[in-house]
Amino acid sequence: MPNKTKTIPSIQISWAEDSDNKGVLELSPRCIQAGIISMYPDRSPQFNRMHRLLDQKSYHAIAKSADRVVGLLGVLHFDLYFRDEPLRTAYFLDFRLDPDFRQGITAYRMVKPVLERERNSGVRLGLATLLKNNEAPMAFTKGRGGIPASLYLGDNKIFNIVPIRFRRPDPRFSIGVPEPGDIPELVALYNRFYSKYRLAPRITEEQLLAYTREIRGLDLSAFRVARLDGKIKAVVAAWDEEPFKRYWVTRKQLPIRLVTTLIRLVSLFTRMPARISNNQPLPQLTLALWAHDDSTAALASLIRSINNENLGGKYSLIQIHIHEDDPAMEALRGLTGITIRNEVHLFTDTLQLAREIQGGKGPVHLEFPGYI
């Protein structure tokens, strides 16, 4: 009897076109992110709509087998500032591979042309945020196969607030919605705040206005400011990303199932947040564009106020990204939540730049384009 040999399917690597939208969306459910909540990101109806809003030069590499999309890797560009110098940065995102193609070099074949394209474009930095303890993508941070080693810059803490308890804001601060006339003061606050970090973005009035006018759910009515003696001391936007991205829940681990059961029982007597259900999108708010003027107390009051606004509301979780070494972590004290961690990895165009950044002081601050 002749030996049977397994046929290795041919893989084609190319740049994604709009016509690939259906295939890309169909890939996501095959790439479950396992954890205390197993889920996958759903970017329907158009997988790259948010990327194009933020960066017209954003793109995705795809891997296809027999016209089926089996791999994806996206790139979004923005500036990060180091020592007040803007450094063009490529943020690598949406790295997915069909489970049937995770053995072999398909992932490497996608990564290689993306890196070559970015090197040729003059990009200085490459940024990747990788789920803690997810070993598969870590292979691309070790300096193998012609890919430079990354500089590990600590962990971003993704804190998911469960809005089940009233938390009293600091009464010194008045909390409200900013007006268009507050834009210049907000921009000045943001840039003072960002300048205190080793690596962080900057923002202009035009950019902030573009966010509030062009990104659905991120208009000024989503922002909250804390004032002291009439001066804005902190700002945050409570953004529902659902028009662009939602996490589709496939399975809950025992702790989440117990919390869900408890919420169902307690909801008979008082208002509770929406339950997390299998085969449904995760009802979630994202706290983005947050900053404070040397006042973590003001930021804490804003976060507590948003928690209180959503008691018994339609959101199960209110998510905020903060670097683990950021003093702003103090603003989360006393809140009920679930923590996930992302490792921050940075690639540089020269070894000298890597050494300079490594020797810099302070944590890294990433705004929503750097973790969307």
Side-chain angles (χ1 to χ4, degrees):
M1 184 175 180
N3 291 331
K4 292 184 178 180
T5 58
K6 185 176 180 180
T7 302
I8 301 175
S10 62
I11 304 293
Q12 298 81 40
I13 309 298
S14 62
W15 306 121
E17 304 287 347
D18 290 344
S19 58
D20 294 310
N21 187 60
K22 183 174 182 290
V24 170
L25 295 178
E26 290 174 347
L27 173 65
S28 290
R30 305 198 299 272
C31 302
I32 304 298
Q33 298 177 3
I36 193 168
I37 304 174
S38 294
M39 54 192 177
Y40 64 86
D42 171 27
R43 294 192 186 274
S44 59
Q46 185 67 32
F47 79 95
N48 60 359
R49 187 158 59 109
M50 172 56 78
H51 313 96
R52 294 287 175 81
L53 277 174
L54 295 172
D55 170 27
Q56 292 184 352
K57 294 185 178 180
S58 67
Y59 64 91
H60 285 72
I62 58 171
K64 286 184 179 180
S65 175
D67 294 327
R68 185 188 193 202
V69 176
V70 298
L72 186 71
L73 174 60
V75 179
L76 181 72
H77 304 94
F78 49 78
D79 287 341
L80 285 177
Y81 281 68
F82 176 63
R83 296 175 180 168
D84 290 324
E85 178 187 355
L87 300 176
R88 198 60 177 164
T89 303
Y91 172 48
F92 305 113
L93 73 166
D94 287 347
F95 196 10
R96 297 176 202 143
L97 204 61
D98 187 294
D100 292 339
F101 293 83
R102 291 177 184 173
Q103 301 298 321
I105 62 171
T106 303
Y108 176 81
R109 289 183 59 201
M110 282 196 300
V111 169
K112 198 67 173 174
V114 166
L115 291 183
E116 290 174 0
R117 180 168 172 171
E118 291 309 308
R119 285 193 185 106
N120 293 335
S121 73
V123 160
R124 300 293 312 277
L125 302 178
L127 173 71
T129 55
L130 307 176
L131 189 64
K132 193 79 172 176
N133 299 320
N134 183 5
E135 293 301 322
M138 293 298 176
F140 295 98
T141 68
K142 308 297 185 183
R144 301 169 185 163
I147 298 173
S150 71
L151 178 64
Y152 169 58
L153 293 178
D155 290 357
N156 250 13
K157 181 175 179 178
I158 307 169
F159 189 64
N160 296 278
I161 302 162
V162 183
I164 58 174
R165 292 192 300 164
F166 178 86
R167 305 304 303 177
R168 185 171 177 265
D170 189 323
R172 291 179 298 163
F173 302 101
S174 60
I175 295 172
V177 177
E179 300 290 337
D182 294 318
I183 293 287
E185 185 178 359
L186 288 175
V187 168
L189 186 155
Y190 278 124
N191 290 328
R192 286 197 305 273
F193 174 71
Y194 294 150
S195 68
K196 300 179 186 299
Y197 289 86
R198 183 180 357 175
L199 280 173
R202 296 291 188 274
I203 197 167
T204 64
E205 290 187 30
E206 292 76 15
Q207 188 177 12
L208 184 56
L209 286 169
Y211 286 163
T212 60
R213 291 170 179 171
E214 298 175 14
I215 298 179
R216 185 175 168 186
L218 202 53
D219 54 88
L220 274 182
S221 67
F223 285 69
R224 299 292 181 272
V225 293
R227 300 180 193 265
L228 181 64
D229 298 327
K231 182 181 178 182
I232 297 176
K233 299 297 291 182
V235 58
V236 66
W239 179 33
D240 186 342
E241 295 180 61
E242 195 277 338
F244 303 97
K245 182 183 75 172
R246 65 211 60 81
Y247 283 99
W248 200 270
V249 178
T250 61
R251 186 171 180 270
K252 306 186 297 290
Q253 297 287 357
L254 180 60
I256 296 297
R257 294 204 304 270
L258 292 176
V259 169
T260 300
T261 300
L262 178 62
I263 287 174
R264 185 184 299 117
L265 292 173
V266 176
S267 66
L268 297 173
F269 308 99
T270 187
R271 295 181 65 195
M272 296 296 286
R275 297 196 304 270
I276 299 172
S277 302
N278 287 345
N279 301 313
Q280 295 290 331
L282 179 65
Q284 174 182 288
L285 268 181
T286 297
L287 301 187
L289 290 166
W290 58 268
H292 64 86
D293 196 9
D294 290 323
S295 178
T296 56
L299 180 63
S301 290
L302 285 179
I303 296 172
R304 287 179 170 222
S305 178
I306 292 169
N307 172 85
N308 297 344
E309 285 182 30
N310 290 281
L311 292 175
K314 66 177 184 178
Y315 298 108
S316 302
L317 302 173
I318 303 170
Q319 184 179 99
I320 186 169
H321 294 241
I322 301 184
H323 195 279
E324 62 181 354
D325 297 329
D326 196 319
M329 288 286 293
E330 180 67 22
L332 304 181
R333 184 183 295 274
L335 295 166
T336 302
I338 304 163
T339 297
I340 302 170
R341 293 182 184 273
N342 269 352
E343 294 189 7
V344 181
H345 288 265
L346 195 72
F347 303 86
T348 60
D349 65 340
T350 66
L351 182 59
Q352 178 62 30
L353 179 57
R355 288 172 175 164
E356 291 177 6
I357 292 174
Q358 188 174 34
K361 294 183 180 180
V364 176
H365 180 82
L366 301 179
E367 251 316 327
F368 73 92
Y371 55 76
I372 189 170

